[in-house]
């Protein structure tokens, strides 16, 4: 009996399967420190226990994207170990902050499959939930990933493509219990711009750039216990390169967005996202954001802002797609999310 796990291939997935992923992970202050070392992350609510307490929380939570990476990383051995590429996200919601001492685990339900026309791979859709030690769901999201077939002669399954909401309604966003921005300290947060200062349609160039190094992206991916072969093994891709984990690009772009969106403190919704083009070591990531929508919340002093976050490697910075309707080659990430901001 084989003791090693080669990972699942496309033909191993069936709609309705529920996969409980190993291994649970208890979060410490080390995750926060490493996250802030790997990315230029400076949002005050995640950096300072005192600032978080002044905003009605018991202490600074783990960065929302760090919690996402931990939940995501658990799923890789069962969902995307043999992936060609992670393609997109939808219906993501952060339901409860993650604090030091919480233990996170993940489970996924297969909600769709579609074999590609080449017969060599297919797209698998999963809905993943991250749970803490009390079985509270801290976050959930849908993603779809292209996975290789292990047996090219395996019959194609019936195509099932789930219907997914393009946008999370503001009333379905969950504001953390106790969050209160009525005494928000804009000086300590780093910028004076509040919810009312942003207009729908406004585009913000975040100015700064960061060049990704080989060692750092592999360190980050190992931190989240993501074992996908394409991120580490140079023989896993035809060109001999290591593909940078898409979440690394998301976190880098989000951190760069601090310059212009320092008060977009908590991510609470992920409407959609696409890794438009692969990112490799040596790429300099830049970012810009577009304000797509705004909404008030029931929490005191708290507004919700919907943002499109785009990461690029240069070129015509504010053009997403060419005349053919396809993403331009310099576009790395197109992410649509909701964040909480002081009114």
């Amino acid at each position: 009996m084989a003791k090693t796990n080669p990972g699942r291939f496309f033909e191993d997935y069936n709609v309705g399967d529920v996969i409980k992923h190993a291994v649970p992970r208890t979060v410490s202050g080390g995750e926060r420190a490493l996250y802030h070392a790997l990315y230029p992350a400076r949002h005050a609510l995640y950096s300072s226990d005192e600032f978080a307490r002044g905003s009605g929380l018991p202490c600074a939570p783990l960065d929302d994207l760090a919690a996402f990476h931990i939940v995501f990383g658990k799923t890789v051995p069962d969902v995307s170990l043999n992936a060609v590429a992670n393609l997109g996200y939808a219906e993501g919601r952060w339901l409860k902050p993650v604090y030091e001492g919480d233990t996170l685990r993940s489970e996924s339900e297969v909600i769709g499959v579609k074999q590609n026309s080449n017969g060599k791979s297919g797209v698998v859709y999963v809905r993943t939930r991250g749970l803490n030690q009390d079985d509270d769901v801290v976050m959930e999201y849908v993603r779809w990933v292209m996975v290789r077939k292990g047996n090219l002669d395996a019959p194609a399954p019936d195509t099932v493509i789930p219907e997914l909401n393009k946008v999370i309604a503001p009333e379905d966003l969950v504001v953390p219990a106790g969050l209160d921005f009525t005494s928000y300290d804009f000086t300590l947060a780093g910028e004076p711009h509040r919810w009312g200062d942003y207009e729908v349609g406004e585009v913000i160039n975040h100015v700064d750039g960061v060049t990704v190094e080989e060692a750092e992206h592999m360190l980050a991916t190992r931190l989240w216990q993501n074992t996908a072969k394409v991120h580490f093994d140079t023989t896993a891709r035809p060109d001999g390169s290591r593909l940078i984990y898409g979440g690394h690009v998301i976190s880098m772009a989000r951190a760069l967005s601090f310059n212009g969106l320092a008060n977009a403190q908590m991510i609470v919704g992920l409407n959609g996202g696409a890794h438009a083009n692969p990112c490799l070591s040596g790429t300099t990531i830049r970012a810009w954001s577009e304000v797509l929508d705004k909404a008030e919340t029931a929490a005191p002093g708290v507004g919700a802002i919907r943002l499109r976050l785009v990461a690029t490697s240069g070129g015509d910075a504010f053009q997403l797609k060419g005349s053919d309707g396809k993403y331009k080659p310099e576009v790395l990430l197109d992410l649509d999310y909701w964040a909480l901001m002081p009114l």
Side-chain angles (χ1 to χ4, degrees):
M1 179 179 177
K3 299 293 191 299
T4 55
N5 174 22
R8 296 183 184 220
F9 293 92
F10 175 71
E11 64 268 24
D12 298 324
Y13 296 93
N14 297 289
V15 173
D17 287 350
V18 174
I19 306 167
K20 296 189 176 182
H21 307 291
V23 173
R25 177 165 175 169
T26 301
V27 177
S28 73
E31 277 83 357
R32 182 199 295 183
L34 276 171
Y35 188 87
H36 287 211
L38 287 163
Y39 311 103
R42 291 182 286 159
H43 287 86
L45 201 68
Y46 303 112
S47 300
S48 165
D49 288 341
E50 292 304 316
F51 191 96
R53 280 192 275 269
S55 300
L57 300 181
C59 60
L62 186 69
D63 288 67
D64 296 307
L65 287 176
F68 168 79
H69 294 320
I70 292 172
V71 171
F72 182 102
K74 307 263 156 264
T75 73
V76 170
D78 299 311
V79 175
S80 48
L81 190 65
N82 294 305
V84 178
N86 191 49
L87 299 177
Y89 311 92
E91 295 187 358
R93 293 193 304 158
W94 281 256
L95 303 172
K96 191 170 185 178
V98 174
Y99 294 101
E100 183 176 346
D102 283 347
T103 297
L104 301 183
R105 59 185 176 85
S106 305
E107 60 183 39
S108 299
E109 179 183 0
V110 180
I111 60 173
V113 290
K114 180 183 183 297
Q115 181 164 301
N116 291 330
S117 58
N118 63 12
K120 297 179 180 179
S121 60
V123 179
V124 179
Y125 298 78
V126 297
R127 186 182 301 276
T128 294
R129 303 192 306 162
L131 302 98
N132 66 15
Q133 65 278 4
D134 299 318
D135 289 333
D136 295 327
V137 180
V138 299
M139 71 170 303
E140 61 184 10
Y141 63 90
V142 172
R143 73 159 167 144
W144 47 103
V145 57
M146 188 185 303
V147 182
R148 296 180 180 87
K149 290 186 73 172
N151 176 11
L152 298 183
D153 295 326
D158 293 335
T159 295
V160 177
I161 299 178
E163 292 187 14
L164 301 170
N165 293 318
K166 292 184 177 180
V167 180
I168 299 167
E171 58 268 23
D172 292 330
L173 300 173
V174 176
V175 178
L179 190 68
D180 183 342
F181 282 160
T182 54
S183 298
Y184 189 92
D185 191 322
F186 288 88
T187 299
L188 291 181
E191 287 181 352
H193 318 301
R194 60 179 72 227
W195 184 86
D197 296 327
Y198 292 89
E199 300 291 336
V200 173
E202 180 178 357
V203 174
I204 303 155
N205 181 359
H206 299 302
V207 182
D208 306 308
V210 174
T211 302
V212 180
E213 302 295 342
E214 196 81 90
E216 89 183 0
H217 85 81
M218 288 192 292
L219 174 63
T221 309
R222 289 193 184 101
L223 175 62
W224 316 125
Q225 298 177 323
N226 180 334
T227 56
K229 299 171 185 177
V230 292
H231 304 318
F232 302 104
D233 185 350
T234 57
T235 68
R237 283 170 48 84
D239 64 359
S241 65
R242 297 180 182 93
L243 181 68
I244 291 175
Y245 164 46
H248 190 69
V249 179
I250 293 174
S251 279
M252 193 66 74
R254 159 71 170 165
L256 290 171
S257 76
F258 179 89
N259 192 345
L261 285 167
N263 296 313
Q265 288 289 351
M266 303 193 80
I267 298 177
V268 289
L270 178 58
N271 299 305
H275 296 293
N277 287 288
C279 184
L280 305 176
S281 177
T283 300
T284 297
I285 298 174
R286 303 186 186 278
W288 58 270
S289 294
E290 179 185 1
V291 180
L292 299 178
D293 199 2
K294 296 166 63 179
E296 296 186 15
T297 78
V302 179
I305 185 167
R306 181 183 168 200
L307 299 162
R308 162 177 261 166
L309 175 62
V310 177
T312 76
S313 60
D316 191 349
F318 305 114
Q319 292 295 320
L320 274 174
K321 297 181 179 181
S323 57
D324 58 0
K326 296 181 179 180
Y327 282 107
K328 301 189 77 172
E330 61 268 22
V331 176
L332 303 172
L333 171 73
D334 182 8
L335 198 73
D336 179 343
Y337 70 101
W338 284 101
L340 301 180
M341 178 178 281
L343 296 173

